[in-house]
């Protein structure tokens, strides 16, 4: 390192907190920015890199936006934990869709599920506390734990992306405070079964751990399966911070609406942080949420059911296309992602592969290494995109593989 670089790095480390320097910008967001930059420059790119559903805003949501627009005081500050209406709506949703009972006092409306995860970790972690994260993982978990001075302890999952309770037990230390689980899982599409969840529940109770259960894909389950929440196991409700949101369920990612449900005590501690941080979640869109769930429940439930069926059809279409190219993957049981193996004949790591696919074939996928160091041989494809777009992506990928290496022919 030259003198100027050393000086700059010294100044930089003086200016920014020691907490922020080791953090990574969300790798998925950064990668998406570079993909969007290429598109803005005229690149012909099919995007399968982000968890962005392609469904247009449904009419009943549009009409709820109009109702919100006409509502008095929609421009005012609101309760930190969310409007009465939005919390009542979420309480209804948990009962109607998942047969769970959460009162309005056990719910906080957040700026996306992302904020709910941050608030949960902020409320429970002391500096040095360890949190078990199961890989492949959604990358924000690791950065969020680090941000609050915690230590993420990453455990790789079994080959079929299901839980290995024994391996998880091996990650335990005196400092373990929490475990983050995500089922249906991004990126693998795995859904943890009752036995797996019961194993985690027993483990959490035995070692007095908080479970942060990210259930944002709870409504996107296939093959007639039903979503099971770990909060439903005996003595678990108050130990679990259940996180969900409307980005995926209602294709409302830009509206930034999520929530956490837990014990009153946990929610009250999350309120302490949120009230000082951003006061409340956008009042206007909370009215939209209330209007959609409480005044258009039939249309809402139908939309959720139809989109899940649509994703299932896309899953089948994409699975067929990938299998025809001899690309190996575990068939997703839910979500809208396939986590596939990079063909060995290419001899490429995941960032190199994703860059080559982007630049040579105009196909954007997410590199596997973003989801954990052990997954550099993988890539994630989102089927939030339409069948037509997936068809184009498969064709381009096929061409790329044919031209990439003679051993892949
Ligand atoms: N959790 C998981 C597993 C996700 O995949 C995502 C988004 O991709 C989120 C949370 C964040 O959702 P939101 O848009 O509600 O912040």
């Amino acid at each position: 390192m030259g003198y100027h670089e050393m000086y700059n790095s010294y100044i930089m480390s003086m200016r920014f907190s020691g907490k922020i320097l080791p953090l990574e910008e969300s790798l998925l967001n950064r990668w998406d920015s570079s993909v969007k930059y290429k598109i803005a420059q005229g690149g012909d790119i099919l995007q399968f890199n982000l968890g962005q559903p392609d469904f247009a805003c449904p009419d009943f949501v549009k009409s709820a936006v109009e109702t919100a627009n006409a509502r008095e005081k929609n421009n005012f500050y609101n309760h930190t934990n969310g409007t009465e209406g939005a919390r009542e709506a979420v309480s209804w949703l948990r009962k109607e869709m998942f047969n769970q009972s959460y009162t309005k006092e056990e719910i906080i409306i957040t700026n996306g599920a992302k904020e709910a995860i941050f608030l949960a970790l902020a409320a429970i972690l002391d500096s040095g506390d360890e949190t078990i994260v199961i890989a492949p993982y959604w990358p924000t978990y690791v950065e969020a734990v680090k941000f609050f001075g915690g230590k993420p302890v990453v455990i790789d999952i079994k080959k079929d992306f299901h839980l290995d309770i024994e391996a998880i037990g091996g990650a335990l230390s005196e400092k373990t405070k929490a475990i983050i689980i995500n089922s249906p899982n991004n990126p693998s599409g795995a859904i943890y079964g009752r036995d797996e969840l019961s194993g985690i529940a027993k483990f959490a109770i035995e070692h007095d751990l908080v479970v942060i259960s990210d259930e944002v894909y709870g409504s996107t389950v296939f093959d007639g399966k039903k979503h099971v929440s770990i909060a439903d196991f005996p003595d678990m409700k108050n130990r679990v911070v259940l996180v969900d949101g409307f980005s995926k369920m209602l294709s409302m990612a830009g509206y930034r609406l999520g929530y956490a449900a837990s014990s009153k005590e946990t929610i009250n501690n999350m309120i302490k942080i949120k009230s000082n941080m951003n006061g409340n979640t956008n009042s206007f869109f909370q009215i939209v949420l209330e209007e959609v769930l409480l005044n258009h429940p039939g249309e809402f439930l139908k939309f959720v059911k139809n989109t899940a069926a649509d994703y299932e059809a896309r899953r089948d279409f994409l699975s067929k296309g990938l299998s025809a190219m001899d690309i190996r993957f575990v068939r997703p049981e839910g979500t809208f992602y396939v986590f596939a193996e990079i063909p060995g004949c290419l001899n490429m790591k995941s960032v190199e592969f994703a860059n080559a696919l982007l630049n040579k074939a105009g196909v954007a996928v997410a590199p596997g290494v973003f989801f954990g160091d052990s997954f550099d041989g993988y890539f994630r494809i989102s089927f939030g995109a339409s069948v037509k777009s997936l068809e184009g992506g498969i064709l381009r990928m096929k061409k790329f593989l044919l031209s990439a290496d003679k051993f892949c022919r």
Side-chain angles (χ1 to χ4, degrees), residues 342-405:
I342 298 169
C345 57
L346 294 177
N347 197 21
M348 279 180 179
K349 298 230 189 271
S350 62
V351 172
E352 186 189 358
F353 173 73
N355 268 315
L357 206 55
L358 181 68
N359 295 320
K360 295 189 179 150
V363 172
V365 297
V369 74
F370 289 3
F371 306 93
D373 290 343
S374 311
F375 297 91
D376 214 0
Y378 289 76
F379 65 107
R380 188 193 73 176
I381 311 176
S382 162
F383 48 95
S386 66
V387 164
K388 188 163 178 277
S389 184
L390 290 168
E391 191 174 15
I394 290 167
L395 271 176
R396 289 182 184 194
M397 238 189 258
K398 212 183 256 173
K399 262 193 187 162
F400 169 80
L401 288 179
L402 284 174
S403 65
D405 188 298

Side-chain angles (χ1 to χ4, degrees), residues 144-175:
V145 170
K146 287 196 298 198
F147 179 73
F148 293 107
K151 184 174 163 218
V153 179
V154 176
I155 288 292
D156 288 337
I157 211 152
K158 284 199 295 202
K159 265 235 159 305
D160 64 353
F161 299 123
H162 277 271
L163 295 176
D164 182 343
I165 307 285
E166 255 177 48
I168 292 169
L172 195 74
S173 87
E174 277 177 2
K175 292 189 173 162

Side-chain angles (χ1 to χ4, degrees), residues 112-114 117 138 141 182 186 214 216-217 247-248 256 337:
K114 231 174 205 179
I117 293 163
W138 182 57
Y141 302 142
N182 170 218
N186 173 9
D214 182 343
V216 297
Y217 298 100
S247 295
K248 320 291 173 182
R256 307 307 301 129
Y337 306 106

Side-chain angles (χ1 to χ4, degrees), residues 216-238:
V216 297
Y217 298 100
S219 59
T220 315
V221 298
F222 309 143
D223 308 315
K225 285 203 165 71
K226 260 184 106 65
H227 175 64
V228 182
S229 171
I230 194 164
D232 296 344
F233 286 79
D235 303 320
M236 284 301 286
K237 187 181 160 196
N238 288 343

